Amino acid sequence: MDLKFTLVGGGFHPVDSSALAFEIAAKSAYRQSIPKAGPQLLEPIMNVDVFTPDDYMGDVIGDLNRRRGMMKSQETGPMGARIKADVPLSEMFGYIGDLRTMTSGRGQFSMSFSHYAPCPTNVAEEVIKEAKERQAAVS
Amino acid sequence: MKDLTRYRNIGIFAHVDAGKTTTTERILKLTGKIHKIGEVHEGAATTDFMEQEQERGITIQSAATTCFWNDHQLNIIDTPGHVDFTIEVYRSLKVLDGGIGVFCGSGGVEPQSETNWRYANDSKVARVIYVNKLDRTGADFFRVVKQVETVLAAKPLVMVLPIGVEEQFSGVVDLLTRKAWIWDDSGDPMNYQIKEVPADMVDQVETYREQLIEMAVEQDDDLMEKYLEGEELEIADIKRCIRKGTRDMSFFPTYCGSSFKNKGVQLVLDAVVDYLPNPKEVNPQPEIDLEGNETGSFAIVDPQKPLRALAFKIMDDRYGALTFTRLYSGTLSKGDTILNTATGKSERVSRLVEMHANSREEIDSAQAGDIIAIVGMKNVQTGHTLCDPKNPATLEPMVFPDPVISIAIKPKTKGGNEKMGIALNKMVQEDPSFHVMTDEESGETILKGMGELHLDIKVDILKRTHGVEVEVGKPQVAYRESITKRLEDSYTHKKQSGGSGQYGKIDYIIEPGEPGTGFEFESKVVGGAVPREYWPASKKALEPASTEVCWQASLAWI
């Protein structure tokens, strides 16, 4: 995460101060301040490059939109269409199976990591809820 | 002393199913390394020797193989084509001097070929193009050539023309010599005849030959002049031009054939020898100091210079750890002591082997330009530089992308925990894109990697190679956090109720950093309000928090 922490001042006690005390202070300061500094959840966004025969292009694009994809380009060639989009990784699980179902097994895709971007609020809430549940289940 | 100009370190890379592994098999057959050709779909290919690879019909690990063609030594690295293993492609590219880009004659330039091509451009690796599978229905050599131009924005230099397509594909015409190579259907690549160009192709051959020469002579002004004056040029001169242009990546000599039907592969091998650079012709690797700054000196490919080698792959098999190493300069012999600049430790080299896919040959020494494996290295990881202890240097470190997907696993049996730990430890050393961590809150073991398939295969390796059965959780995305506002704040930690107390007060500013800078810590304290010796403690406390721990902490506030 891209964050800058600048120490500007403070105080110490000649006897009671120690490295440990400042370590704890820093940790607690972090917990205290982050909630006030407008925290934001970021998710990995992938460069997705899909190839599909023309007949299925509408379905493939519709599906990418449902996966919160941002279309970047589309080109048609003799073999079919190439669609490039930015799609959050969390929406791409099992994509190859769905793509094959949509295109009668003829679609192909590749993806690589592009960047991190802020999650929309509803998605962030969902993620945090799930994480909380996971923690509750453990403890 | 071996002649370095007769070395070619090459890789073969392309999209899944374009036929890399089949092509490698044919090359090995032609160069006499194996006698019976293994078919990928039967799970018997020589370079695919892991069980997982044989079952899935894909290549996971790049196997290094040495063979000989026309008195030249070819070190071939068979790279995986699947996107989840991009790290392997990257790593292999790093140690190569040239490559063969394989494209499927009917599929053309598929999405993944584009990614791999871009990586090869980044690493400045000269390539020849081989359009495979021309025997397949729907194959069209010229369409693929066009795609190379439009999709990859590269200049293909057509060197051969196919004779017939699909079922009728029988051979190729070599444009430079104007000879037709015709193979029969016996499946033996040596059963070919050299004939005159078929009558119906003469015009086409002349047109393409002209194009070829025009592009080639652009590399040499004198030849260009001769050519424009209408003189017939020597083939050797044209070849020299092609070699130069290939090295500078001005164009990519383009061939075609069908590896599966054993047609056309010889010409690609000839091209590797004729046009791809030898280790001395590529730009030398810059040396850097421990802070990551370039020192300005380079690892010159010369056996007389001090040793510089890069470990690019660690493999663990039943014989012990194998460290695949590319020697950039100097000579490495059995019994030498080498320094690992990343760890600062020295190690003795007890055995050196040359790899031939699944078998190996013991050698006594290796020299600059070689790709070999060292047996039994203990403290070496991928990307480490091995060098002469008297004359240390570090080569450019390799940079790897962060993993984006994670899954939680736990052993099925109670006793499996320790076994799993040892196995995972080994696997992390083999693959730097694979991370393992323990979730402090839940105690679960988390595997992180580049994609679903990547982790899938890791779980498979755990089960088969190491005999650890695990239960696998749902894949999780690696989320991160950031803040959007700048904040000035203060915190006092105080615990002074009897005994030795604790006291620390800090005033600070917390703000969003520039994208990509990660976590930054700075102290502007003056006048000793917080004594200097406590700064590192505060910094240390925040570092892990900015990546993993904070994510846990954030649960509390929303």
Side-chain angles (χ1 to χ4, degrees):
Chain A
M1 107 182 227
D2 305 317
L3 181 139
K4 199 173 165 196
F5 190 97
T6 314
L7 197 58
V8 289
F12 72 105
H13 185 277
V15 182
D16 291 344
S17 278
S18 63
L20 182 68
F22 278 96
E23 206 177 310
I24 296 171
K27 272 220 162 85
S28 311
Y30 189 84
R31 290 210 175 146
Q32 163 188 290
S33 301
I34 292 285
K36 295 191 260 178
Q40 200 177 39
L41 195 64
L42 304 179
E43 61 180 346
I45 307 291
M46 310 300 280
N47 272 320
V48 178
D49 186 346
V50 189
F51 168 83
T52 167
D54 286 332
D55 302 355
Y56 311 105
M57 194 166 80
D59 293 348
V60 171
I61 291 180
D63 177 72
L64 285 173
N65 278 327
R66 264 193 302 284
R67 292 175 191 267
R68 296 194 280 126
M70 288 267 292
M71 296 305 140
K72 284 193 300 193
S73 75
Q74 74 190 61
E75 282 162 38
T76 23
M79 299 287 293
R82 290 280 293 276
I83 301 156
K84 294 190 185 186
D86 279 348
V87 189
L89 174 63
S90 58
E91 304 285 339
M92 291 300 290
F93 287 122
Y95 183 63
I96 185 68
D98 294 352
L99 180 67
R100 285 188 183 139
T101 314
M102 271 185 293
T103 59
S104 316
R106 292 170 62 199
Q108 286 200 354
F109 87 109
S110 97
M111 73 177 176
S112 58
F113 172 72
S114 165
H115 61 279
Y116 271 92
C119 276
T121 325
N122 58 334
V123 177
E125 275 168 7
E126 191 64 27
V127 169
I128 286 160
K129 200 177 118 218
E130 261 178 41
K132 271 186 177 167
E133 276 167 10
R134 233 186 7 258
Q135 260 189 326
V138 173
S139 49
Chain B
M1 188 77 40
K2 292 178 248 184
D3 180 3
L4 277 178
T5 59
R6 294 184 178 272
Y7 265 64
R8 299 290 181 274
N9 290 319
I10 57 164
I12 298 178
F13 40 93
H15 189 271
V16 188
D17 280 348
K20 286 180 304 297
T21 307
T22 311
T23 306
T24 313
E25 281 298 312
R26 293 310 184 270
I27 291 175
L28 294 181
K29 157 104 187 182
L30 280 166
T31 54
K33 272 290 168 202
I34 47 170
H35 301 292
K36 182 179 171 293
I37 291 180
E39 294 300 342
V40 184
H41 53 262
E42 289 164 11
T46 317
T47 42
D48 285 352
F49 54 81
M50 284 167 71
E51 275 173 59
Q52 292 92 326
E53 294 183 348
Q54 288 172 3
E55 264 176 30
R56 288 165 202 246
I58 53 173
T59 311
I60 302 164
Q61 295 189 324
S62 43
T65 305
T66 299
C67 59
F68 295 88
W69 183 254
N70 280 356
D71 297 330
H72 285 67
Q73 177 170 345
L74 311 183
N75 294 321
I76 299 175
I77 301 212
D78 184 26
T79 61
H82 195 278
V83 65
D84 282 8
F85 310 112
T86 293
I87 186 91
E88 301 253 350
V89 181
Y90 232 134
R91 202 198 280 154
S92 319
L93 280 172
K94 172 100 188 151
V95 298
L96 297 174
D97 303 325
I100 305 175
V102 181
F103 296 103
C104 174
S106 66
V109 180
E110 288 147 297
Q112 182 62 20
S113 331
E114 203 182 325
T115 314
N116 283 346
W117 190 265
R118 211 173 47 236
Y119 287 147
N121 281 347
D122 290 349
S123 304
K124 299 207 166 37
V125 175
R127 275 146 287 170
V128 297
I129 293 170
Y130 172 57
V131 181
N132 191 18
K133 297 194 182 181
L134 279 191
D135 58 309
R136 280 256 296 254
T137 314
D140 183 346
F141 175 61
F142 300 100
R143 193 185 64 234
V144 179
V145 169
K146 190 89 209 146
Q147 280 186 342
V148 169
E149 256 173 330
T150 53
V151 181
L152 301 180
K155 264 197 197 168
L157 183 73
V158 178
M159 301 292 293
V160 297
L161 290 181
I163 304 173
V165 280
E166 301 181 2
E167 287 282 280
Q168 314 299 319
F169 177 69
S170 60
V172 297
V173 175
D174 181 4
L175 290 176
L176 277 184
T177 55
R178 293 193 184 90
K179 292 286 178 213
W181 295 52
I182 313 273
W183 281 265
D184 65 16
D185 283 320
S186 65
D188 184 343
M190 295 315 287
N191 281 349
Y192 66 88
Q193 286 176 306
I194 292 185
K195 292 183 181 163
E196 291 304 313
V197 176
D200 59 341
M201 285 181 70
V202 170
D203 290 344
Q204 198 192 10
V205 166
E206 286 310 313
T207 322
Y208 273 91
R209 189 170 197 270
E210 211 162 290
Q211 278 182 17
L212 161 65
I213 294 175
E214 269 171 26
M215 266 170 88
V217 293
E218 275 176 25
Q219 300 297 322
D220 186 318
D221 291 344
D222 292 344
L223 276 187
M224 168 86 99
E225 213 166 289
K226 268 196 195 170
Y227 173 74
L228 290 177
E229 281 164 12
E231 270 183 62
E232 184 72 4
L233 303 176
E234 293 285 328
I235 287 186
D237 283 335
I238 303 172
K239 280 191 172 177
R240 188 166 46 77
C241 286
I242 298 176
R243 188 178 174 81
K244 179 165 178 292
T246 307
R247 211 194 83 191
D248 300 342
M249 301 205 310
S250 309
F251 46 67
F252 301 90
T254 303
Y255 291 81
C256 68
S258 162
S259 296
F260 181 58
K261 293 273 167 71
N262 296 295
K263 291 168 186 170
V265 184
Q266 282 101 324
L267 285 101
V268 179
L269 278 172
D270 285 341
V272 166
V273 167
D274 286 343
Y275 308 128
L276 289 181
N278 66 48
K280 282 184 155 177
E281 286 171 325
V282 294
N283 297 333
Q285 289 282 325
E287 292 176 2
I288 57 169
D289 60 21
L290 294 176
E291 275 82 49
N293 304 312
E294 295 195 6
T295 57
S297 47
F298 293 89
I300 311 284
V301 180
D302 183 344
Q304 309 298 336
K305 295 263 188 233
L307 177 71
R308 305 276 181 265
L310 192 70
F312 66 95
K313 180 158 189 76
I314 315 282
M315 261 174 62
D316 203 65
D317 66 6
R318 59 201 152 189
Y319 305 105
L322 284 175
T323 306
F324 284 83
T325 309
R326 160 80 200 253
L327 270 65
Y328 286 97
S329 60
T331 309
L332 179 64
S333 304
K334 235 157 83 169
D336 280 0
T337 301
I338 51 173
L339 174 72
N340 178 344
T341 46
T343 59
K345 286 183 183 148
S346 297
E347 254 184 276
R348 207 172 150 268
V349 175
S350 53
R351 282 167 70 205
L352 292 174
V353 290
E354 205 171 73
M355 298 301 293
H356 300 145
N358 205 15
S359 66
R360 56 192 72 192
E361 223 166 86
E362 295 251 355
I363 49 174
D364 291 331
S365 76
Q367 64 168 32
D370 272 333
I371 291 180
I372 48 113
I374 309 174
V375 186
M377 299 296 279
K378 292 209 177 59
N379 294 309
V380 180
Q381 285 190 21
T382 309
H384 286 180
T385 303
L386 309 174
C387 66
D388 184 351
K390 288 185 219 85
N391 204 330
T394 302
L395 297 164
E396 194 182 353
M398 300 204 267
V399 183
F400 298 110
D402 289 337
V404 285
I405 276 192
S406 64
I407 50 169
I409 57 165
K410 72 172 186 231
K412 274 191 183 153
T413 54
K414 278 211 174 106
N417 235 328
E418 193 187 343
K419 219 165 137 193
M420 182 176 84
I422 298 169
L424 287 175
N425 215 339
K426 280 186 182 165
M427 286 158 62
V428 167
Q429 286 195 7
E430 288 174 14
D431 182 354
S433 65
F434 175 60
H435 296 227
V436 176
M437 58 169 284
T438 311
D439 186 329
E440 282 179 25
E441 311 275 325
S442 65
E444 283 173 317
T445 303
I446 314 278
L447 309 184
K448 296 181 163 195
M450 305 305 296
E452 277 176 290
L453 184 61
H454 187 203
L455 292 180
D456 218 27
I457 282 171
K458 294 296 170 193
V459 170
D460 225 32
I461 294 177
L462 264 183
K463 190 168 127 198
R464 287 175 206 245
T465 316
H466 304 282
V468 188
E469 296 256 6
V470 292
E471 279 171 32
V472 182
K474 224 178 103 195
Q476 300 289 337
V477 169
Y479 290 96
R480 288 188 187 174
E481 291 182 298
S482 78
I483 51 170
T484 49
K485 280 184 247 163
R486 181 177 186 276
L487 193 72
E488 280 182 50
D489 214 340
S490 169
Y491 188 87
T492 312
H493 173 69
K494 199 165 157 186
K495 210 171 135 199
Q496 291 171 304
S497 48
S500 65
Q502 289 178 358
Y503 182 88
K505 173 172 185 283
I506 50 174
D507 299 330
Y508 55 89
I509 300 167
I510 189 161
E511 60 193 318
E514 295 291 313
T517 50
F519 170 70
E520 269 185 276
F521 180 89
E522 195 187 352
S523 178
K524 287 186 179 156
V525 178
V526 283
V530 176
R532 191 171 284 268
E533 67 251 44
Y534 299 139
W535 297 355
S538 308
K539 184 179 179 208
K540 190 180 131 226
L542 293 164
E543 266 167 355
S546 64
T547 54
E548 303 296 337
V549 181
C550 73
W551 160 233
Q552 303 292 345
S554 71
L555 300 178
W557 73 68
I558 306 185

